[in-house]
Amino acid sequence: MTNGAPSVLSAAPELPLVTVVALCYNHARFLRPALDSILAQTYPRLEVILVDDASTDDSAAILREYAAAHPSWQLLLLPRNEGNCAAFNHAFRRSQGEFLIDFATDDVLLPERIARQVAVFQQLPPSYGLVYSDAEHVDEQGHHVGYHYRRPRPGVLLPRPAEGWVFAEVLRRYFISSPTVLVRRAVLTELGGYDETLTYEDFDFWVRAARSWQFHFQDETTTQKRLHPQAMSRRGYQPHDPYLASTIRICRKAQALCRTPDERDALAVRVRWELRQAVRWRNFSEARELYGLLRELQAVRPLDWLLSQAAGVGAVLSS
């Protein structure tokens, strides 16, 4: 179901159009603050596409209300749950923005978010495809919890942000706050959007994008990321975790993209970390797959071998 035709706003035509893809699945209790944060943006040239991935709560009704009040907003109500990757791609294919935000509607955009990130992009060479920033973490009631980056002393951020050509760093460690990303349309076009065969999108997207595009860190807080038990990030590594299977597939895809020993070493760091988590949470089948990938990378260490043995024994005992 759509509400109106795709709309390119006429305000400030010299500014690039930015598409906000507002993705909702059972976010009814957080939805109004999220949508109000789009309305509060100081950036004047927005395309807003509301997508509901077959929510079972009152989300669709709230989305209809906002779409009716703001006729330029597009509304897409999916008849069945397709997952975040496919839901985003539906909106991406009908969007027109030069830049896009994948906006989960349990989060909140700070008012200057889009204006300041577009200004950053306009100062960067065209080889930069992605800008990301710091995020404030808030609880279910919107109370401050912390920030994505810890700042133990002036000028030091942990995890350390990476900029420029970051392919190896994206493989090696987690440092990007997903809700803060503004991406150039050309990146998504080149990659064909998100990989719909995966359960989640961000790691795979960063890996594929970083192969051909530079990333930039904006040292500002642009977004409030909401922490709650239903958030995707809270479900990882539980027994029979579907996200772990996707992570293994992404690591396999990354293996094919690696060009240098340093990049393969970086991938081995990631695979080794995932192996430890898989064994810790008794995902023994996945642990054996990860160990096999370490062997292919010729990066097995003694502890890796011991963990593989634990995974093998655990699989036998649980069968």
Side-chain angles (χ1 to χ4, degrees), residues 29-50:
R29 58 185 172 146
F30 308 125
L31 196 46
R32 292 184 188 278
L35 299 182
D36 287 344
S37 78
I38 299 175
L39 294 171
Q41 291 301 299
T42 61
Y43 191 78
R45 197 155 186 256
L46 298 179
E47 175 186 54
V48 179
I49 305 178
L50 309 176

Side-chain angles (χ1 to χ4, degrees), residues 147-169:
Y147 292 93
H148 180 78
Y149 295 99
R150 293 181 290 110
R151 300 171 188 261
R153 59 185 183 274
V156 175
L157 280 70
L158 299 174
R160 177 177 52 82
E163 296 185 280
W165 299 107
V166 299
F167 179 76
E169 288 302 299

Side-chain angles (χ1 to χ4, degrees), residues 139-183:
D139 63 16
E140 293 177 78
Q141 291 73 41
H143 300 145
H144 174 82
V145 174
Y147 292 93
H148 180 78
Y149 295 99
R150 293 181 290 110
R151 300 171 188 261
R153 59 185 183 274
V156 175
L157 280 70
L158 299 174
R160 177 177 52 82
E163 296 185 280
W165 299 107
V166 299
F167 179 76
E169 288 302 299
V170 164
L171 294 179
R172 186 177 286 113
R173 60 194 181 87
Y174 170 66
F175 59 91
I176 299 173
S177 175
S178 300
T180 71
V181 168
L182 179 68
V183 63

Side-chain angles (χ1 to χ4, degrees), residues 11-18 43-45 98-99 112-131 182-184 216 218:
E14 72 279 4
L15 293 173
L17 182 69
V18 175
Y43 191 78
R45 197 155 186 256
E98 183 178 342
F99 301 99
E112 293 284 332
R113 153 80 185 265
I114 297 175
R116 296 185 72 84
Q117 287 196 315
V118 170
V120 169
F121 250 123
Q122 291 179 317
Q123 300 299 314
L124 293 170
S127 60
Y128 279 81
L130 185 152
V131 167
L182 179 68
V183 63
R184 194 184 295 275
H216 178 80
Q218 174 189 11

Side-chain angles (χ1 to χ4, degrees), residues 5-319:
S7 172
V8 177
L9 305 185
S10 59
E14 72 279 4
L15 293 173
L17 182 69
V18 175
T19 299
V20 179
V21 177
L23 292 178
C24 179
Y25 178 67
N26 288 345
H27 287 162
R29 58 185 172 146
F30 308 125
L31 196 46
R32 292 184 188 278
L35 299 182
D36 287 344
S37 78
I38 299 175
L39 294 171
Q41 291 301 299
T42 61
Y43 191 78
R45 197 155 186 256
L46 298 179
E47 175 186 54
V48 179
I49 305 178
L50 309 176
V51 185
D52 184 73
D53 195 16
S55 293
T56 57
D57 61 6
D58 294 330
S59 294
I62 297 171
L63 291 169
R64 287 192 185 97
E65 174 191 327
Y66 275 77
H70 306 283
S72 67
W73 290 15
Q74 301 173 55
L75 176 61
L76 179 59
L77 302 177
L78 301 182
R80 64 182 182 279
N81 183 264
E82 298 189 29
N84 187 71
C85 296
F88 177 86
N89 283 347
H90 281 297
F92 169 59
R93 286 191 287 265
R94 66 180 61 211
S95 69
Q96 300 181 42
E98 183 178 342
F99 301 99
L100 291 95
I101 293 175
D102 177 350
F103 177 43
T105 53
D106 51 352
D107 297 328
V108 171
L109 307 174
L110 298 183
E112 293 284 332
R113 153 80 185 265
I114 297 175
R116 296 185 72 84
Q117 287 196 315
V118 170
V120 169
F121 250 123
Q122 291 179 317
Q123 300 299 314
L124 293 170
S127 60
Y128 279 81
L130 185 152
V131 167
Y132 69 100
S133 73
D134 202 354
E136 179 187 16
H137 293 171
V138 298
D139 63 16
E140 293 177 78
Q141 291 73 41
H143 300 145
H144 174 82
V145 174
Y147 292 93
H148 180 78
Y149 295 99
R150 293 181 290 110
R151 300 171 188 261
R153 59 185 183 274
V156 175
L157 280 70
L158 299 174
R160 177 177 52 82
E163 296 185 280
W165 299 107
V166 299
F167 179 76
E169 288 302 299
V170 164
L171 294 179
R172 186 177 286 113
R173 60 194 181 87
Y174 170 66
F175 59 91
I176 299 173
S177 175
S178 300
T180 71
V181 168
L182 179 68
V183 63
R184 194 184 295 275
R185 179 182 199 85
V187 179
L188 285 158
T189 300
E190 178 184 290
L191 300 181
Y194 291 160
D195 182 344
E196 297 183 15
T197 68
L198 301 173
T199 306
Y200 72 102
E201 79 293 337
D202 49 10
F203 179 35
D204 176 69
F205 176 71
W206 300 336
V207 169
R208 293 191 294 141
R211 182 74 285 173
S212 302
W213 297 85
Q214 292 183 276
F215 290 16
H216 178 80
F217 173 65
Q218 174 189 11
D219 192 3
E220 301 181 41
T221 300
T222 65
T223 307
Q224 289 181 329
K225 177 180 179 179
R226 196 179 302 274
L227 307 180
H228 59 92
Q230 288 74 45
M232 289 180 60
S233 60
R234 294 297 185 93
R235 301 199 293 267
Y237 302 108
Q238 300 299 317
H240 311 296
D241 169 29
Y243 301 97
L244 183 54
S246 285
T247 298
I248 294 171
R249 293 190 57 200
I250 297 165
C251 289
R252 288 283 182 190
K253 292 167 69 175
Q255 181 185 20
L257 293 174
C258 287
R259 299 172 181 168
T260 68
D262 179 64
E263 291 171 355
R264 286 186 284 274
D265 288 345
L267 177 58
V269 171
R270 168 75 66 157
V271 173
R272 188 172 293 113
W273 191 87
E274 298 291 346
L275 170 62
R276 281 150 175 71
Q277 301 308 309
V279 172
R280 175 188 176 191
W281 291 98
R282 302 178 65 82
N283 290 302
F284 294 123
S285 175
E286 291 83 356
R288 290 194 295 274
E289 287 188 64
L290 289 161
Y291 179 73
L293 181 51
L294 273 180
R295 291 187 62 184
E296 292 174 30
L297 292 168
Q298 299 182 340
V300 174
R301 296 177 178 177
L303 181 57
D304 304 328
W305 182 85
L306 289 173
L307 287 170
S308 76
Q309 297 305 298
V313 171
V316 171
L317 291 177
S318 62
S319 61

